[in-house]
Amino acid sequence: MNTTDTIDNGFCPNFHSAAELIGRRWTGAILRALFSGESRFNDIKATIPDLTPRMLSERLKELEAEGIVTRRVIPEPLGTEYCLTPKGQALRPVLDAISTWAYDWIVPDEAASEPRQVEAVS
Amino acid sequence: MNTTDTIDNGFCPNFHSAAELIGRRWTGAILRALFSGESRFNDIKATIPDLTPRMLSERLKELEAEGIVTRRVIPEPLGTEYCLTPKGQALRPVLDAISTWAYDWIVPDEAASEPRQVEAVS
DNA sequence: CGGGATCCGAAAGGATACTG
DNA sequence: CAGTATCCTTTCGGATCCCG
């Protein structure tokens, strides 16, 4: 029933697993780095502030296991390259939608820390 | 630097917090239930299989703190009603994008164990 | 009905160090 | 460069009981 249409049923396991896959800590940012063109381990790591190699490695493995990225070792400049598979590329609309929403609704200085100062509304 | 929506920079804290907000455990499903029309605590709970009241309560509070839902106590039938704010409504494209992706790429028996053929090829 | 409080085990995540 | 290994803290999340 729910196929490409709108949200009209209460629960969908596929949706659920997809949401939690993408939403796993750091995963969104990693995917974003991949989309932005980064592909080497340390390049990805460098673009994401507090990401430790352990986390990156772990998330990358998960994504690989999910068929979202592929890992390839490059002999010459010696390194590893992570690329998005079609399934991974297909996530672009999702990432874009999140970006748009974030841009529209997340107030800049609310993002990093969270000094949620509402202006005194009694 | 471009801030509109395309992905071409490495990291964006707004995007990051948005992704992890939506991706928090159960949050996607809860949002989905809200979009599908549920609004009462136990109705939402009922649509999501293993969600405990504690988790629902916790997530709902987070969403409320983020300005994504509003909580209102209804005196008559006695209950509580959770509604999406404009900020919450604005998440619809995100949820839809995830739904679409999930439908296209998550193979049923990989998500849970609900038999469903993606496409009866040939 | 709609939660809050508490307890507690499980798992995720961070820091640091070390290696092929 | 690209990870691993280990430790150890924090958080998550489930169960249970209770309260307005």
Side-chain angles (χ1 to χ4, degrees), chain B residues 13-25:
Chain B
N14 293 357
F15 168 86
H16 192 227
S17 62
E20 306 209 335
L21 164 69
I22 302 165
R24 240 182 185 68
R25 190 144 203 212

Side-chain angles (χ1 to χ4, degrees), chain B:
Chain B
M1 104 180 185
N2 133 321
T3 38
T4 46
D5 62 9
T6 25
I7 298 170
D8 56 5
N9 55 343
F11 183 75
C12 169
N14 293 357
F15 168 86
H16 192 227
S17 62
E20 306 209 335
L21 164 69
I22 302 165
R24 240 182 185 68
R25 190 144 203 212
W26 302 117
T27 302
I30 292 169
L31 249 17
R32 198 152 197 279
L34 251 16
F35 272 112
S36 79
E38 306 301 339
S39 56
R40 319 291 280 246
F41 190 88
N42 281 311
D43 287 347
I44 298 172
K45 181 176 162 339
T47 62
I48 307 172
D50 297 310
L51 179 59
T52 60
R54 192 169 103 77
M55 282 299 97
L56 178 55
S57 175
E58 197 173 309
R59 290 291 105 99
L60 245 17
K61 264 190 240 172
E62 288 174 4
L63 292 174
E64 198 188 349
E66 294 284 342
I68 290 174
V69 304
T70 50
R71 191 183 103 115
R72 183 175 50 148
V73 176
I74 299 174
E76 236 343 276
L78 187 52
T80 319
E81 191 180 53
Y82 290 91
C83 292
L84 291 160
T85 62
K87 181 175 176 180
Q89 301 275 356
L91 278 171
R92 196 171 227 281
V94 176
L95 284 267
D96 279 343
I98 295 175
S99 274
T100 300
W101 183 81
Y103 179 73
D104 290 341
W105 299 94
I106 304 279
V107 186
D109 75 274
E110 175 190 350
S113 40
E114 188 166 328
R116 180 185 274 284
Q117 298 283 342
V118 183
E119 187 81 3
V121 266
S122 77

